[in-house]
Amino acid sequence: MALYNFKKITVVPTAKDFIDLTLSKTQRKTPTVIHKNYQINRIRHFYMRKIKFTQQNYHDRLSMILTDFPKLDDIHPFYADLMNVLYDKDHYKLALGQINIAKNLIDSVAKDYVRLMKYGDSLYRCKQLKRAALGRMCTILKRQKQSLEYLEQVRQHLSRLPSIDPNTRTLLLCGYPNVGKSSFINKITRADVEVQPYAFTTKSLFVGHMDYKYLRWQVVDTPGVLDHPLEERNTIEMQAITALAHLRAAVLYVMDVSEQCGHTVEAQLELFRNIRPLFANKPLIIVANKSDVKKIDELTEEQKKVFADFMADGITVTETSTLTEEGIIKVKTEACDRLLTHRVESKMRGKKVNDLLNRLHLAVPSKRDQKERPPWIPEGASKRRKMEVDAPQRKSRRDLELETGDDYVLDLQKYWDLMNASEKHDLIPEIWEGHNIADFIDPDIMKKLEQLEKEEELKQVAGEYDSDSESEDEEMRDIRQLAVQIREKKKMRILISREKQTKKGPTMPRTAKKVERKTLEKEMGSLGLDMENKDNTHYAQQARRSRSVTRKRKREESQPPTSKVRSRSTSRTPRDLSGVRDEKMLNKVKKMMKNSQQDMNRLGRKGEADRHVFDLKPKHLFAGKRKMGKADHR
């Protein structure tokens, strides 16, 4: 459980919203009706109440901001240093101090104007004093615009910080950028940290949680740290340094021995020596990551000697690979066990353990003589224990499954309780539509199938299925050769047509292009076909039919035109002119249509499906404020 919950900090409004909220609340929560004919005490009290209410509202809201934001001197040093790195401690304290000064100024302004209100001798002067008091309060708050905006940005960033408990069991990952810290935390926890093949993918602290020995553990992934002086480190690197300095955790220093991160092994070892003072009094494990690419044994002799010196100093060096998951569980177990041991030892060295041991007393009875009295075990119990040790151990179903592997079959039928034990493994008949399927199965079907296959083989050997290859005559060869030419010609026509097609216009349908009869007969004749006397063929009849359909029908000379419009054009009569005698009748029809459409047009302006505000000025919103008195009529 985290010590601090920064997500509960209330939203800090801007200066404009702050003033609007307060003045609106003053208008709603205080009386609004006053007359000059009232007694002067009543008028003074009316405006005093508004000043005090505004002051109290400002006071409460500003006090809530001051109490919600954490005080750097009261919180854990880890969070205090982290906030100093992220937000600048001086700027943060200055902003909260200005808010506190504004609160005190508003209180003093209200106090002064309430005292002056006692000397107001008319409604106008009391009103002007109230107006001046509220105006000065709003001016004081307007000057805190930048502080309020800064505190709101701090609040938003604080709410996104991970919930890190500085006192719980923690594993801390550190090292150069792009050495595999995020991949490691993704493997051992349920965290989902972004992993990319470039440096500084992780720009802030990330937390994952896991379980080990029925205990809750948190794993902190820190941004990469480069090897340069502390003053030159940026905000991203200082987050990792802050976590190393203040968290009581087991430190996992991750190294990339394959040097794929862009930094040599020597540079990584130099960084380890520079930040080693931060590892004091903490369990330390060096994780040689990416062992699937390069192992420690493949390094140079000097590099091997450095790792050997680390192991001689008592620092554990473990090879891992987040890709193949080699050594991941080993590192996790080793780090957790060493941290648990370290926490127990640190508690034993503390003062609380001595207070507890002083209250405990182990009673040891004093010997009354020199006689030995060994523990006595009854003879029956010792025999039973010996029989249990010597008796062969019964194999469980799990042991049988592990022995047989994939051949294991769970036989539940042998536990069935039947009158006739020999029927336990009988097959249960399958019934389909009231019939037993076993009645329709031929037991000799495989033998019959083998006999049929043998007969087929004998027929094939005897040549029963071989067809006599008849010698093709010259006419058949000519036909085949002609068919080959026709196919090739058809392919060429398709290719030519595809080349002619352009994508500028729409694709024409296949029926739009028709081959004329002369062209067809000419091409077929060139291929060797006899195209004489083909008038009764199908393509000739189709050509005649299509030509007769496309030809325009001539009007008979004896048929006179029926009207002027008809005589001018043979096209179809428009719908608005259909059945109309002359132009006068056409105008009358249009006028009748326009008059009949008026009601529909009027209804079309607003219908029952349209949004409709029934009361533009509802009384409860536009009536005056209720006077003091009973609310029975409500």
Side-chain angles (χ1 to χ4, degrees), residues 21-240:
L21 287 169
T22 307
L23 295 182
S24 174
K25 191 173 183 181
T26 304
Q27 182 70 8
R28 285 184 287 109
K29 298 289 186 179
T30 56
T32 55
V33 179
I34 189 70
H35 295 291
K36 62 182 178 180
N37 299 324
Y38 290 168
Q39 290 183 356
I40 191 63
N41 288 335
R42 185 175 178 184
I43 294 173
R44 289 172 185 165
H45 180 72
F46 176 85
Y47 287 112
M48 277 184 192
R49 184 174 175 184
K50 285 188 176 292
I51 294 172
K52 288 180 179 178
F53 187 88
T54 306
Q55 174 263 332
Q56 191 62 39
N57 206 352
Y58 277 132
H59 182 90
D60 293 343
R61 285 181 175 270
L62 293 174
S63 299
M64 184 179 294
I65 292 174
L66 293 172
T67 54
D68 281 352
F69 276 90
K71 293 180 175 57
L72 297 182
D73 298 333
D74 298 342
I75 61 176
H76 193 276
F78 164 69
Y79 277 111
D81 278 7
L82 187 63
M83 291 180 68
N84 182 27
V85 167
L86 295 173
Y87 317 123
D88 187 8
K89 178 174 66 175
D90 297 335
H91 195 177
Y92 177 77
K93 285 187 174 182
L94 193 63
L96 289 179
Q98 288 178 342
I99 297 296
N100 190 28
I101 292 171
K103 182 189 73 169
N104 295 331
L105 286 174
I106 288 172
D107 292 347
S108 63
V109 166
K111 187 177 179 181
D112 293 343
Y113 276 90
V114 166
R115 189 183 300 114
L116 288 172
M117 192 68 70
K118 295 176 183 178
Y119 301 100
D121 55 356
S122 65
L123 185 143
Y124 175 75
R125 288 184 178 178
C126 292
K127 183 177 180 181
Q128 292 303 104
L129 285 171
K130 184 267 299 184
R131 187 176 176 186
L134 266 60
R136 285 189 64 184
M137 292 180 197
C138 295
T139 303
I140 291 169
L141 207 64
K142 279 182 183 176
R143 291 173 182 167
Q144 307 305 320
K145 178 183 176 183
Q146 292 181 346
S147 297
L148 292 172
E149 289 177 352
Y150 168 75
L151 289 175
E152 173 59 14
Q153 291 178 0
V154 170
R155 184 201 66 83
Q156 292 178 2
H157 198 277
L158 275 175
S159 65
R160 291 192 290 268
L161 281 180
S163 299
I164 300 175
D165 187 355
N167 299 320
T168 191
R169 296 161 292 275
T170 308
L171 303 183
L172 191 63
L173 302 172
C174 65
Y176 259 96
N178 205 26
V179 295
K181 301 185 294 297
S182 300
S183 302
F184 187 86
I185 192 175
N186 288 343
K187 290 294 182 183
I188 65 174
T189 67
R190 290 185 287 273
D192 187 15
V193 184
E194 184 182 6
V195 177
Q196 295 293 344
Y198 49 80
F200 286 109
T201 308
T202 305
K203 298 179 181 177
S204 61
L205 299 176
F206 282 90
V207 181
H209 294 86
M210 66 176 186
D211 295 325
Y212 179 72
K213 288 189 176 179
Y214 304 102
L215 295 173
R216 195 71 166 164
W217 297 71
Q218 68 180 7
V219 184
V220 180
D221 179 20
T222 62
V225 181
L226 297 177
D227 185 17
H228 47 197
L230 186 66
E231 296 79 14
E232 299 179 8
R233 290 199 167 100
N234 55 21
T235 305
I236 298 175
E237 295 175 275
M238 285 305 296
Q239 295 180 55

Side-chain angles (χ1 to χ4, degrees), residues 302-368:
E302 295 179 358
Q303 295 171 346
K304 287 182 188 177
K305 186 176 181 299
V306 173
F307 284 106
D309 294 342
F310 283 149
M311 297 179 73
D313 294 342
I315 301 174
T316 306
V317 179
T318 309
E319 291 183 334
T320 62
S321 171
T322 54
L323 183 65
T324 61
E325 299 187 8
E326 176 192 351
I328 297 291
I329 302 301
K330 181 182 177 183
V331 170
K332 169 187 166 183
T333 308
E334 177 74 16
C336 293
D337 291 340
R338 291 186 62 179
L339 181 61
L340 285 176
T341 307
H342 176 75
R343 286 169 69 92
V344 171
E345 291 175 354
S346 61
K347 287 179 181 178
M348 292 296 292
R349 289 194 298 267
K351 296 180 180 179
K352 292 183 179 180
V353 178
N354 295 329
D355 297 339
L356 182 63
L357 291 175
N358 291 335
R359 294 197 296 269
L360 296 177
H361 174 66
L362 180 61
V364 180
S366 58
K367 291 186 176 182
R368 62 188 179 196

Side-chain angles (χ1 to χ4, degrees), residues 251-511:
V251 180
L252 304 180
Y253 184 77
V254 184
M255 295 181 60
D256 181 7
V257 293
S258 66
E259 300 182 356
Q260 289 183 346
C261 63
H263 304 281
T264 61
V265 176
E266 288 77 9
Q268 299 177 55
L269 292 172
E270 187 64 27
L271 173 65
F272 176 78
R273 296 187 188 98
N274 287 343
I275 63 175
R276 190 167 182 179
L278 298 173
F279 305 153
N281 300 324
K282 294 176 185 175
L284 175 61
I285 295 178
I286 296 178
V287 180
N289 197 22
K290 302 184 183 180
S291 62
D292 55 319
V293 180
K294 194 173 186 180
K295 295 184 177 295
I296 295 178
D297 297 338
E298 301 174 10
L299 299 175
T300 61
E301 293 297 330
E302 295 179 358
Q303 295 171 346
K304 287 182 188 177
K305 186 176 181 299
V306 173
F307 284 106
D309 294 342
F310 283 149
M311 297 179 73
D313 294 342
I315 301 174
T316 306
V317 179
T318 309
E319 291 183 334
T320 62
S321 171
T322 54
L323 183 65
T324 61
E325 299 187 8
E326 176 192 351
I328 297 291
I329 302 301
K330 181 182 177 183
V331 170
K332 169 187 166 183
T333 308
E334 177 74 16
C336 293
D337 291 340
R338 291 186 62 179
L339 181 61
L340 285 176
T341 307
H342 176 75
R343 286 169 69 92
V344 171
E345 291 175 354
S346 61
K347 287 179 181 178
M348 292 296 292
R349 289 194 298 267
K351 296 180 180 179
K352 292 183 179 180
V353 178
N354 295 329
D355 297 339
L356 182 63
L357 291 175
N358 291 335
R359 294 197 296 269
L360 296 177
H361 174 66
L362 180 61
V364 180
S366 58
K367 291 186 176 182
R368 62 188 179 196
D369 53 24
Q370 299 300 323
K371 186 178 180 181
E372 288 290 334
R373 292 180 175 84
W376 180 75
I377 300 174
E379 187 178 354
S382 59
K383 285 183 179 180
R384 195 181 308 116
R385 180 185 295 178
K386 188 177 180 181
M387 290 173 61
E388 289 177 356
V389 171
D390 297 340
Q393 188 178 3
R394 186 179 65 87
K395 286 188 178 181
S396 63
R397 306 298 301 177
R398 176 63 177 165
D399 297 335
L400 293 173
E401 182 182 0
L402 293 174
E403 287 181 5
T404 55
D406 295 337
D407 298 333
Y408 176 75
V409 177
L410 180 60
D411 188 10
L412 296 176
Q413 290 179 320
K414 69 178 186 178
Y415 299 112
W416 288 359
D417 188 9
L418 301 178
M419 293 180 64
N420 189 1
S422 61
E423 297 177 354
K424 284 184 179 181
H425 292 84
D426 289 355
L427 294 176
I428 301 174
E430 296 182 50
I431 306 299
W432 183 70
E433 293 186 358
H435 301 285
N436 189 352
I437 295 176
D439 296 340
F440 299 93
I441 294 176
D442 188 359
D444 301 331
I445 189 166
M446 297 306 296
K447 294 181 180 178
K448 294 178 180 177
L449 180 62
E450 290 178 0
Q451 292 178 2
L452 284 173
E453 289 177 350
K454 289 180 181 179
E455 290 180 5
E456 287 295 319
E457 290 177 0
L458 292 174
K459 287 182 179 180
Q460 288 179 2
V461 171
E464 187 173 342
Y465 298 115
D466 295 342
S467 58
D468 298 334
S469 56
E470 299 176 355
S471 59
E472 296 182 351
D473 51 357
E474 293 184 2
E475 184 179 357
M476 195 64 184
R477 286 199 215 97
D478 294 342
I479 291 173
R480 290 184 183 280
Q481 188 176 358
L482 184 61
V484 171
Q485 293 179 2
I486 291 172
R487 289 193 196 96
E488 291 179 355
K489 188 70 176 178
K490 190 175 180 181
K491 288 180 182 178
M492 290 299 297
R493 283 177 64 94
I494 291 172
L495 293 173
I496 293 169
S497 66
R498 285 179 181 171
E499 290 177 0
K500 289 180 179 179
Q501 285 179 356
T502 58
K503 295 183 179 179
K504 294 179 181 179
T507 307
M508 296 291 289
R510 193 175 296 174
T511 55

